[in-house]
Amino acid sequence: MGAGASDLAGMEPGGKVPRAGLGDLPELCAAEVLLYLDAPDICRLARLNRAFRGAAAADFVWDAKLPENYGHLLRFVDEAKEVGSRSEMGKKDIFARLVKPVPFDGGRREFWLEKSNGEICMALSSKALVITGIDDRRYWVNMPTSESRFQSFAYLQQIWWFEVVGEVDFSFPAGTYSLYFRLHLGKSSTRYGRRICSSEQIHGWDKKPVRFQLSTSDGQHAASQCYLDEPGSWILYHVGDFVASSSEQAIKLKFSLAQIDCTHTKGGLCVDSVLIYPKGFEPERVIRAQK
């Protein structure tokens, strides 16, 4: 009698049993679904109902999205002396912090997690690079801009010996990465709210190709070259790929961009940054140089 009354109590008027909806999904089952989704989709589903909202806060869901060395990456956040205790952060909070840029080296470098897959990206400003003649204003000028994540770039007016060198010593999560120089042929600026590009000082890049080189501390090498001949837009010039085999061991990278034929001058080039992305991730236009 009691059981029958209980069954009847769950019926809709007319004797129909109500259908189960997504809101009736057990939170653990909802969390299992979220494991197969990327972070933006998880956040969208969390707005759907209470079950997904609760599941989206589960540590094991976000632990699967974080790189295995996220604890090491958080040390850079600690060094930045940001407000908040790491012990109070759940895995969702940690992911949310690491998808935002984490500056280091005095703000000249930064890394972040790509939010769709949790893979690490890194950027080095022109100020983190060794540029021949950078301190001589006859050759180079540092220009403010809103087109750089670092709010400035190095602009080459004219020089005979063009060489840009950089290094990175970092514990990358295991995977394959691509390294790029972000360059712009012509002086990019904004006037009266409109973007303009001056090509007056562009010269010398059609004489000889620029050479790109990349080497790692574990013996990987890449070399390529190409002509710079597309003014007016920022382009990622692909230097090469490298493999990080273990997140527990730092890998040291050395890379360069050069055109050192002193039979002619060259100029009219903006050097913004060096970018390291997971292989296949290309948020801007990419030119792959010839080997």
Side-chain angles (χ1 to χ4, degrees):
M1 179 80 179
S6 176
D7 291 341
L8 290 172
M11 288 186 176
E12 295 179 344
K16 295 180 179 179
V17 178
R19 292 183 178 180
L22 281 176
D24 302 307
L25 192 68
E27 194 171 292
L28 183 59
C29 293
E32 291 289 341
V33 172
L34 299 184
L35 284 173
Y36 293 92
L37 304 179
D38 58 28
D41 287 337
I42 292 174
C43 294
R44 281 190 284 269
L45 273 181
R47 298 194 291 267
L48 187 62
N49 58 43
R50 184 182 302 174
F52 280 107
R53 186 161 54 251
D59 269 358
F60 78 90
V61 170
W62 293 99
D63 191 49
K65 312 301 176 188
L66 289 165
E68 55 187 4
N69 68 337
Y70 72 87
H72 170 72
L73 301 178
L74 279 175
R75 296 176 190 170
F76 291 90
V77 178
D78 295 340
E79 290 173 4
K81 298 180 180 178
E82 296 185 5
V83 178
S85 170
R86 191 199 303 185
S87 61
E88 299 173 357
M89 299 174 70
K91 296 297 176 62
K92 180 180 178 181
D93 299 322
I94 293 173
F95 187 90
R97 175 59 195 91
L98 292 179
V99 296
K100 299 176 183 178
V102 178
F104 64 106
D105 188 24
R108 300 186 305 169
R109 307 168 188 238
E110 61 186 31
F111 69 83
W112 66 97
L113 299 185
E114 208 287 301
K115 62 183 179 182
S116 66
N117 54 29
E119 294 183 311
I120 198 167
C121 305
M122 182 178 290
L124 289 73
S125 75
S126 59
K127 295 178 181 179
L129 306 174
V130 178
I131 302 177
T132 300
I134 189 64
D135 295 324
D136 193 328
R137 290 182 62 85
R138 292 175 300 173
Y139 306 135
W140 292 90
V141 178
N142 188 62
M143 297 188 63
T145 180
S146 60
E147 297 183 0
S148 168
R149 65 187 309 114
F150 296 102
Q151 303 304 307
S152 69
F153 58 74
Y155 177 69
L156 173 62
Q157 300 182 104
Q158 179 172 290
I159 204 167
W160 293 88
W161 185 291
F162 172 71
E163 187 172 25
V164 182
V165 178
E167 293 185 0
V168 170
D169 192 347
F170 197 80
S171 296
F172 288 90
T176 303
Y177 298 85
S178 298
L179 188 143
Y180 306 91
F181 275 94
R182 187 173 189 258
L183 308 175
H184 184 290
L185 202 56
K187 184 188 291 184
S188 170
S189 61
T190 302
R191 183 176 299 173
Y192 305 118
R194 295 181 59 187
R195 185 183 190 277
I196 58 174
C197 177
S198 171
S199 59
E200 292 179 2
Q201 293 181 310
I202 298 176
H203 68 282
W205 306 110
D206 58 339
K207 306 290 185 182
K208 290 285 183 68
V210 297
R211 291 187 56 82
F212 301 95
Q213 293 191 35
L214 167 66
S215 63
T216 70
S217 54
D218 60 358
Q220 301 176 64
H221 298 276
S224 57
Q225 62 182 19
C226 75
Y227 287 91
L228 304 183
D229 56 7
E230 297 193 32
S233 61
W234 289 103
I235 296 175
L236 300 183
Y237 288 86
H238 180 244
V239 179
D241 300 332
F242 67 93
V243 176
S245 57
S246 172
S247 61
E248 297 179 359
Q249 184 173 359
I251 185 171
K252 188 171 184 178
L253 313 175
K254 293 184 178 182
F255 45 87
S256 64
L257 161 65
Q259 211 265 48
I260 55 178
D261 184 344
C262 293
T263 61
H264 65 279
T265 63
K266 60 282 297 180
L269 180 69
C270 304
V271 177
D272 173 48
S273 56
V274 167
L275 294 157
I276 300 173
Y277 289 137
K279 186 175 181 178
F281 179 63
E282 299 177 355
E284 295 181 272
R285 186 183 170 206
V286 170
I287 287 183
R288 299 186 181 279
Q290 297 178 350
K291 296 183 179 180

